Amino acid sequence: MPARRLALLLALLASCLALGPAGAQVAGRSKYADLVRAELVAQEGAVAPGAPLTAGVRLTMKPGWHVYWRNPGDSGLPPEIAWTLPAGFAAGAVEWPAPERIPVGDLMNFGYEGEVLLTVPLTVPEAVGPGPVSLRAKVSYLVCERECVPGEASLSLALPVAPAGTSPRPDPRTAPLFAQGRERLPVPAPWPVRMSEGGANPVLTLDAPGLRARDVAFFPYSETALEHAAPQTATSDAAGLHLRLQRSSQAAPDAPAPRADGVLTLTEETASGPVRRAYALGEAAPAPAPAAAAAPASPAPAAPAIGMGEAEGLWQAALLAFLGGLLLNLMPCVFPVLSIKVLSLVRHSGESPGRVRLHGLAYAAGVLATFLGLASVLIALRAGGAQIGWGFQLQSPLVVAGLAYGLLAMGLSLSGVWHLGGRAAALGDGLTRRAGLEGSFFTGVLATVVATPCTAPFMGAAVGYGLTQGAGVALAVFAALGLGLALPFALLAAWPALLRRLPRPGAWMETLKGLLAFPLYLTVAWLVWVLSQQVGPTGLMAGLTGLVLVGFGAWAIERGRAAGDVGRRGAQVAARVAAILALLGLAGLMAVLDRDRAGPVAMASADGIEPFSQARLDGLLAAHRPVFVNMTAAWCITCQVNDRATLRADAVQAAFKARDVAQLKGDWTNQNPEITRVLEANGRSGVPLYLLYDGRGGVAVLPQILTESIVRDALAALPATAGPRAALR
């Protein structure tokens, strides 16, 4: 995440925390009571069976405040509309009016000030019962000035049913409002449009000879293609209009030119005077395809759709989270840490049963405290407008490097290079026992932190449900997840008789302890690989040098501890100085590491896989082509196993080609708001997520653990018309 965006998110978090614990209640205070006034309106005065119906959400902002476009720019969150419609009705995609450029400090936001009408086409079934017809919509938004306030509104509208054989007429009360709204909608550009290569400055060209324009601005659909705050310089010549842009700093130097998918606004000088125009450019439609935001065909948090009450939905989500937490214990990122703790329990097996149970309780407390802490931070940042999900902390190179350093220090201790807690014995038996319980607590903390790259079965739907139902429900779901992770170790500690079935403590434990260091070293190697996806060469060298400093500090501390009586004080002082220097070196390296962020790696097209963008997905769906979307991350072990063991298999790739299925891969290793939105639209807060669009408006959510048969069966279930020939018709 760029430093300026991180600073803004922290400011948003601070402002939201200052407003109160519940963002939904903030509008109740007088200072924030009238920031946004929301209203549900309809263009037609009545509902006619089988006839189109146009609804709209009208947002009126207090002067100086703004809401956001579908691509909010450098910060923010677009409004979202959740519909509750009668049986047989269906809502299409939001038709977004052309936005404005809204500077906020060094950032550039895209959005609306004053008033905006977000229109949505509704499909009406051929048979409609007697009226009135009730339309309901829940609107969530983020409104900002210098501070940002999240809000929501529950809206409703009742419309009569038109007499049989008649067509509904426009409602005279709303006709002017919808007429003004249509004038702000972008229309397809009447000229050819192209984006030319230009290194850091690609050029958008309209082949429009004689066009005289000023106040030109381009709003890309993609949130990561261009620098939003960079100047956009327009020039005109006999060939047309040329707009010089600036490539995003996150883009790889050798990446192709950004796609010309977005909205272009300009003021055209005509014979009758200046006219403000907005054009939709590129392959994508002005709004995302309805299928992209459709309710997922999976056990996602769509409680009202399946007739489930909120309490029942919470219990189901908590059960799924608990089962997911149990399975986390078997994940490769967690198992090495737990095996070390089980070894420590064997060492404590000679203590009283009550003492052993305390170790289990301390471990469980560490797990629960960390889960609830992570959940609280995640909820607060999302309330402030940050588009993040489960595992968000691993999108930071500093967190990844810090984990690698901590696990390396643990591994070196197991290998005998140094001894953690070696001085505790000299402080008395009571302090030794207290340190032991603290060790169990922090083992729970570490197990939770290293579990975040893993998404076990059942977890995705449960966590996604929790994060969409408010802070209280989210904390309950995360607590159930923590209980599942903590339960096996806590049970082992609760029944010390089980420990007596294990071999007695002895020399074999030293050998096993040394062997257990190597899974930790393997985890460190994996974290370094993740780091290599997030930073450039300079940052990677800084991260590797930090590993050397950790090893040096551990060696120096142990040398000081093992020094004899002669010169012992001098050796200890030298060890402390060396350790302090190593820590200072680490701090300096971490600063360098965070500044050298890598841009997204251009994906090779030889294997038929394209990088995900919402605009590309919209274009493929508009062409009625089936699409497989793979949302993944380098730090997601489940994702990597699925990718290598299943998705890259020859039989699976052959099945994709046989059905002419386009493949899009979204890399969430670094923060990407477009990917986060797709996750949220499908009831998920983290990766992996696998979506299979059939090209005819349907979408299936595949399981988080994939097999070749699962993928092939899903492809075989695609409509018979999907395929190479059908795609050309």
Side-chain angles (χ1 to χ4, degrees):
M1 182 189 304
R4 62 184 186 182
R5 192 157 187 172
L6 176 60
L8 180 65
L9 289 178
L10 293 176
L12 294 179
L13 173 60
S15 65
C16 291
L17 292 177
L19 296 177
Q25 300 174 354
V26 76
R29 302 191 180 193
S30 58
K31 181 180 178 182
Y32 304 103
D34 301 320
L35 296 183
V36 176
R37 187 172 70 254
E39 180 184 4
L40 183 60
V41 293
Q43 180 173 264
E44 293 77 17
V47 176
L53 177 67
T54 302
V57 173
R58 181 184 187 184
L59 300 176
T60 305
M61 282 70 70
K62 190 174 181 179
W65 294 77
H66 62 270
V67 296
Y68 293 91
W69 186 52
R70 53 175 289 181
N71 171 8
D74 287 327
S75 64
L77 193 68
E80 296 182 358
I81 306 174
W83 292 94
T84 302
L85 302 174
F89 283 68
V94 174
E95 296 175 343
W96 297 89
E100 308 169 27
R101 288 168 65 89
I102 304 174
V104 180
D106 294 334
L107 307 181
M108 182 62 69
N109 293 341
F110 302 153
Y112 311 101
E113 296 179 316
E115 181 181 297
V116 65
L117 178 67
L118 304 178
T119 55
V120 177
L122 302 181
T123 301
V124 181
E126 294 294 337
V128 179
V133 173
S134 177
L135 308 178
R136 296 182 180 180
K138 182 178 179 180
V139 184
S140 303
Y141 55 83
L142 186 71
V143 59
C144 296
E145 189 195 33
R146 286 189 174 86
E147 56 187 335
C148 291
V149 180
E152 62 182 32
S154 296
L155 310 175
S156 61
L157 177 66
L159 294 175
V161 176
T166 64
S167 299
R169 296 181 178 180
D171 188 335
R173 296 171 298 178
T174 60
L177 176 65
F178 279 89
Q180 295 173 3
R182 282 193 298 273
E183 292 179 356
R184 296 181 63 181
L185 293 176
V187 299
W191 314 282
V193 181
R194 64 182 184 278
M195 185 78 77
S196 61
E197 296 281 357
N201 297 104
V203 177
L204 178 68
T205 298
L206 272 69
D207 294 334
L211 176 65
R212 295 185 301 158
R214 56 181 173 84
D215 302 328
V216 183
F218 177 63
F219 302 88
Y221 293 142
S222 171
E223 299 184 28
T224 57
L226 300 171
E227 285 293 330
H228 301 131
Q232 299 184 356
T233 306
T235 57
S236 298
D237 56 27
L241 177 69
H242 312 278
L243 185 64
R244 182 172 294 275
L245 307 169
Q246 183 174 322
R247 188 190 297 268
S248 171
S249 59
Q250 301 180 22
D254 57 347
R259 298 174 61 88
D261 297 332
V263 170
L264 184 74
T265 61
L266 54 86
T267 300
E268 182 180 1
E269 299 290 349
T270 67
S272 57
V275 179
R276 190 66 178 166
R277 303 191 188 280
Y279 298 107
L281 309 182
E283 297 181 3
S298 69
I306 58 177
M308 179 174 63
E310 183 177 351
E312 183 180 353
L314 172 59
W315 282 112
Q316 291 185 2
L319 177 60
L320 291 176
F322 177 76
L323 294 175
L326 280 176
L327 292 175
L328 273 179
N329 290 282
L330 303 178
M331 293 293 170
C333 46
V334 182
F335 190 76
V337 177
L338 296 187
S339 61
I340 293 171
K341 196 57 195 172
V342 171
L343 182 65
S344 71
L345 270 186
V346 174
R347 185 178 295 109
H348 291 298
S349 60
E351 299 183 14
S352 65
R355 188 66 188 175
V356 175
R357 293 189 183 99
L358 285 177
H359 281 285
L361 291 175
Y363 170 79
V367 170
L368 288 174
T370 310
F371 263 113
L372 294 177
L374 285 174
S376 299
V377 173
L378 178 58
I379 293 166
L381 288 175
R382 286 167 64 93
Q387 293 181 316
I388 54 179
W390 176 246
F392 71 96
Q393 66 274 21
L394 288 174
Q395 293 175 333
S396 167
L398 296 180
V399 173
V400 173
L403 273 176
Y405 298 155
L407 292 177
L408 177 61
M410 288 182 60
L412 293 175
S413 176
L414 293 175
S415 295
V417 174
W418 72 315
H419 298 281
L420 289 171
R423 296 187 61 193
L427 300 180
D429 181 68
L431 184 56
T432 302
R433 291 181 179 271
R434 190 182 70 178
L437 293 180
E438 290 173 353
S440 295
F441 178 88
F442 285 106
T443 300
V445 173
L446 181 61
T448 304
V449 173
V450 300
T452 53
C454 293
T455 301
F458 311 115
M459 267 186 61
V463 174
Y465 174 86
L467 291 176
T468 60
Q469 299 298 314
V473 174
L475 291 175
V477 170
F478 275 92
L481 187 61
L483 286 174
L485 179 62
L487 183 63
F489 183 85
L491 286 178
L492 187 63
W495 279 275
L498 296 175
L499 294 177
R500 289 195 288 271
R501 296 181 179 272
L502 298 175
R504 291 291 181 183
W508 66 271
M509 294 180 59
E510 290 300 316
T511 301
L512 180 59
K513 185 179 74 170
L515 288 175
L516 288 176
F518 291 96
L520 291 182
Y521 295 146
L522 183 60
T523 305
V524 171
W526 164 68
L527 288 168
V528 171
W529 175 76
V530 172
L531 187 65
S532 70
Q533 314 297 309
Q534 298 177 318
V535 299
T538 302
L540 181 59
M541 185 61 197
L544 293 172
T545 304
L547 295 175
V548 176
L549 289 177
V550 169
F552 171 74
W555 172 82
I557 290 173
E558 184 62 19
R559 289 287 296 175
R561 189 192 68 81
D565 293 335
V566 180
R568 182 179 181 87
R569 184 178 299 276
Q572 290 178 343
V573 171
R576 291 171 183 167
V577 171
I580 291 173
L581 291 176
L583 287 175
L584 291 175
L586 275 178
L589 290 172
M590 297 281 267
V592 174
L593 183 148
D594 193 46
R595 286 200 300 266
D596 187 35
R597 295 298 296 268
V601 179
M603 198 173 301
S605 58
D607 55 3
I609 302 175
E610 302 178 57
F612 171 84
S613 71
Q614 187 65 56
R616 181 57 177 157
L617 175 61
D618 294 344
L620 291 168
L621 296 177
H624 303 293
R625 186 174 176 189
V627 183
F628 177 73
V629 177
N630 171 12
M631 296 303 186
T632 183
W635 40 261
C636 171
I637 295 180
T638 307
C639 306
Q640 300 304 320
V641 172
N642 287 338
D643 189 54
R644 287 162 173 75
T646 301
L647 296 178
R648 293 187 188 180
D650 293 340
V652 172
Q653 287 298 315
F656 279 125
K657 293 178 181 178
R659 307 294 296 188
D660 192 38
V661 177
Q663 298 182 61
L664 301 181
K665 188 173 184 179
D667 188 351
W668 210 45
T669 303
N670 295 301
Q671 190 180 28
N672 186 312
E674 287 189 322
I675 294 176
T676 307
R677 285 202 194 131
V678 174
L679 296 173
E680 292 176 343
N682 289 275
R684 299 290 176 83
S685 66
V687 290
L689 174 66
Y690 305 106
L691 303 173
L692 182 60
Y693 296 88
D694 63 11
R696 298 296 183 269
V699 57
V701 181
L702 274 60
Q704 293 172 304
I705 305 296
L706 295 180
T707 63
E708 291 188 32
S709 61
I710 288 175
V711 179
R712 291 202 306 268
D713 290 347
L715 294 173
L718 289 173
T721 54
R725 293 183 178 86
L728 297 176
R729 293 176 182 173

